[in-house]
Amino acid sequence: MTIMFSSIDFEIWILMHFESVTRSYTRKELVQKLSRSAYFNQDYSRFKGNSYREYIFDKVQDAVDHANKLYRKKSDWINDDPFTNIQIYLPEIFKRDNF
């Protein structure tokens, strides 16, 4: 069985499309940050669930690189925050290695 996990929220993975993540965030902090003009430029809590394509489609490789960097330092999904392992399974899901 494979478990893909991103703590504290899936939004840690979304944030990695824009920048490296090295510290823990609260859900409120993530929503506030992702609502800024440099990210989604709208109330992210209302946007969440809509299509992300125009915002992050061309940034997937950045997210993979940022996630790999974090994973080298924090790879214990139970104790580490932030943590994500989504990048490990993307090649299998999309049948490609480069994004």
Side-chain angles (χ1 to χ4, degrees), residues 33-89:
K33 188 169 187 84
L34 291 171
S35 295
R36 294 180 188 157
S37 61
Y39 306 92
F40 289 89
N41 197 30
Q42 59 187 299
D43 182 348
Y44 182 79
S45 63
R46 289 186 167 169
F47 170 80
K48 188 176 176 177
N50 290 302
S51 175
Y52 289 75
R53 185 177 180 85
E54 75 176 90
Y55 298 95
I56 64 174
F57 180 76
D58 61 342
K59 298 176 179 171
V60 175
Q61 188 61 55
D62 293 336
V64 169
D65 294 343
H66 293 146
N68 282 332
K69 181 179 174 183
L70 176 66
Y71 193 80
R72 284 190 292 274
K73 296 177 183 174
K74 297 186 176 203
S75 59
D76 181 348
W77 71 282
I78 293 177
N79 297 307
D80 288 337
D81 181 19
F83 170 87
T84 192
N85 66 354
I86 291 173
Q87 78 284 0
I88 294 170
Y89 302 103

Side-chain angles (χ1 to χ4, degrees), residues 3-49:
I3 297 175
M4 292 180 11
F5 185 73
S6 192
S7 73
I8 181 171
D9 276 338
F10 183 70
E11 278 64 38
I12 285 293
W13 168 247
I14 298 300
L15 182 57
M16 288 184 182
H17 288 75
F18 299 98
E19 64 186 54
S20 185
V21 175
T22 57
R23 73 170 188 89
S24 180
Y25 289 90
T26 66
R27 287 182 176 95
K28 183 177 179 180
E29 288 175 317
L30 283 168
V31 167
Q32 289 174 338
K33 188 169 187 84
L34 291 171
S35 295
R36 294 180 188 157
S37 61
Y39 306 92
F40 289 89
N41 197 30
Q42 59 187 299
D43 182 348
Y44 182 79
S45 63
R46 289 186 167 169
F47 170 80
K48 188 176 176 177

